[in-house]
């Protein structure tokens, strides 16, 4: 009797499980619906989009389906150049940011020097200052900074950083939030490793590179992913500092594309080309992202 009773499943447990899955399915539908609608609509002409708008056909590749919208995007915009610019800007910023921000956090958490606590306080204070509050002063600064460029086989001195790639990269390398993440992780590593390496004659740089970095891959992964998403979706700063097409990234490019078409199918095609690659990258590294976020102690 007891054996049969123990084998029975609690009805409340089943109801709770069904309710949980129902809520998850509903949330998945809410989040996936805009993405699915955008991708499907990118293959349809505008008339077909509005015809299917209030039916399940809006989420299905039925009706007049073609690649005409994608051909129009390449014809009406320099999306190849903008995509390459976004890759260069995002990749360079992430690589330099990992090095600069981790070194700053290493100095704040592992070394001892005068003014250390004051500098840490300033980094924490910067966390509450939105970028919009410093964007105009930063714009005035980069507008008058000289830069040596390469044009027509010779070096040329420019009197401004505007309309360039470096103006979208260098001001974004140092990041207070990234420094704080690194600082929290480095601080929890026992100092015994530093002392043992110092006894063996290791310099601070060697301690950082050969001791701290190999033990800190989770936080490096966390910062890299977060900074990648932030830079890929950067919109305000490029709008302020870039006017021409040569250095324009993808996100501000969609505003320019709006001025060349009134076809929603073409707009959906552009938005899909910007969004889907990032979504694929995220899905491919989803487990690593979740694991790195948990290991770094970030809760969101």
């Amino acid at each position: 009797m007891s054996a049969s009773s123990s084998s029975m499943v609690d009805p409340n447990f089943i109801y709770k499980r069904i309710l949980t899955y129902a809520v998850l399915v509903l949330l998945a539908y809410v989040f996936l619906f805009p993405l699915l609608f955008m991708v499907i609509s990118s293959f349809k002409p505008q008339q077909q989009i509005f015809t299917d708008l209030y039916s399940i056909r809006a989420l299905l590749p039925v009706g007049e389906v073609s690649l005409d919208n994608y051909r129009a995007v390449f014809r009406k915009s320099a999306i190849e150049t903008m995509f390459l610019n976004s890759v260069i800007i995002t990749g360079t910023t992430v690589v330099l940011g990992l090095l600069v921000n981790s070194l700053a956090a290493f100095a704040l958490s592992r070394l001892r020097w005068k003014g250390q606590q004051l500098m840490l306080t300033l980094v924490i204070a910067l966390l509450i200052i939105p970028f919009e509050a410093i964007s105009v002063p930063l714009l005035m600064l980069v507008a008058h900074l000289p830069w040596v460029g390469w044009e027509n086989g010779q070096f040329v001195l420019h009197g401004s950083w505007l309309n360039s790639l470096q103006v979208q990269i260098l001001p974004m390398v140092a990041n207070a939030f990234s420094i704080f993440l690194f600082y929290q992780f480095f601080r929890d590593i026992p100092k015994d490793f530093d002392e043992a390496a110092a006894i063996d004659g290791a310099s601070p740089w060697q301690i950082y590179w050969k001791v701290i970095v190999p033990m800190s891959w989770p936080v490096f992964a966390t910062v890299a992913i977060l900074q990648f998403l932030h830079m890929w979706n950067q919109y305000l700063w490029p709008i302020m500092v870039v006017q021409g097409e040569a250095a324009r990234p993808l996100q501000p490019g969609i505003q320019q594309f709006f001025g060349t078409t009134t076809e929603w199918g073409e707009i959906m095609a552009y938005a899909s080309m910007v969004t889907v690659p990032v979504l694929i990258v995220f899905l491919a590294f989803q487990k690593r992202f979740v694991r790195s976020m948990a290991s770094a102690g970030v809760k969101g």
Side-chain angles (χ1 to χ4, degrees):
M1 185 71 178
S2 59
S4 60
S5 300
S6 60
S7 63
M8 296 178 60
V9 180
D10 185 4
N12 291 330
F13 175 79
I14 297 177
Y15 296 147
K16 290 180 181 179
R17 181 60 62 89
I18 294 175
L19 180 61
T20 300
Y21 280 112
V23 172
L24 291 177
V25 169
L26 179 61
L27 289 175
Y29 175 80
V30 170
F31 285 108
L32 291 178
F33 173 81
L35 292 175
L36 185 59
F37 175 76
M38 175 185 67
V39 174
I40 296 300
S41 298
S42 68
F43 294 99
K44 299 179 179 180
Q46 181 160 297
Q47 184 178 0
Q48 184 74 43
I49 294 175
F50 286 103
T51 301
D52 299 341
L53 189 59
Y54 297 103
S55 67
I56 191 63
R57 292 169 61 90
L59 303 179
L60 299 175
V62 295
E64 301 179 38
V65 178
S66 68
L67 296 174
D68 292 343
N69 293 325
Y70 288 90
R71 297 189 186 99
V73 171
F74 283 95
R75 186 175 64 253
K76 296 180 180 181
S77 68
I79 192 169
E80 311 97 322
T81 302
M82 291 185 290
F83 186 87
L84 179 60
N85 290 338
S86 289
V87 171
I88 294 173
I89 292 168
T90 302
T92 306
T93 305
V94 169
V95 172
L96 292 179
L98 290 176
L99 179 63
V100 171
N101 296 318
S102 62
L103 281 173
F106 175 79
L108 289 171
S109 60
R110 315 299 291 187
L111 304 180
R112 292 292 177 265
W113 42 279
K114 188 176 182 180
Q116 183 179 22
Q117 291 302 316
L118 175 61
M119 187 60 62
L120 178 61
T121 302
L122 291 177
V123 170
I124 296 175
L126 288 174
L127 294 174
I128 64 174
I129 300 177
F131 177 76
E132 290 77 6
I134 64 172
S135 59
V136 174
L138 186 59
L139 173 63
M140 297 175 64
L141 174 64
V142 299
H144 297 89
L145 285 177
W147 182 266
V148 178
W150 181 263
E151 294 182 3
N152 300 323
Q154 60 182 355
F155 289 103
V156 178
L157 180 62
H158 300 282
S160 173
W161 282 18
L162 299 182
N163 297 315
S164 63
L165 294 178
Q166 71 268 11
V167 74
Q168 303 173 74
I169 297 173
L170 297 181
M172 303 298 162
V173 170
N175 183 278
F177 182 68
S178 298
I179 294 175
F180 188 67
L181 282 181
F182 278 120
Y183 171 81
Q184 283 190 308
F185 196 95
F186 291 170
R187 184 187 57 182
D188 294 335
I189 298 177
K191 292 289 186 64
D192 296 344
F193 293 102
D194 301 39
E195 296 172 357
I199 292 175
D200 291 337
S203 64
W205 166 257
Q206 291 174 322
I207 294 175
Y208 162 80
W209 188 252
K210 296 184 178 181
V211 178
I212 301 301
V213 171
M215 300 175 63
S216 306
W217 287 120
V219 71
F220 274 88
T222 300
V223 173
I225 294 172
L226 293 178
Q227 197 159 11
F228 170 81
L229 295 175
H230 171 70
M231 291 304 302
W232 186 266
N233 295 320
Q234 188 72 254
Y235 181 82
L236 175 62
W237 183 241
I239 284 289
M240 297 175 64
V241 299
V242 176
Q243 301 299 324
E245 291 186 356
R248 179 175 291 148
L250 279 172
Q251 295 293 347
I254 197 170
Q255 182 187 41
Q256 179 194 19
F257 188 68
F258 281 157
T260 64
T261 183
T262 58
E263 296 290 328
W264 281 104
E266 297 176 2
I267 295 173
M268 295 294 183
Y270 187 104
S272 297
M273 295 174 70
V274 174
T275 306
V276 171
V278 180
L279 185 62
I280 292 175
V281 171
F282 177 78
L283 292 176
F285 296 97
Q286 181 181 12
K287 291 184 179 180
R288 182 173 297 181
F289 175 76
V290 174
R291 189 184 304 118
S292 64
M293 291 284 284
S295 299
V298 180
K299 303 184 184 297

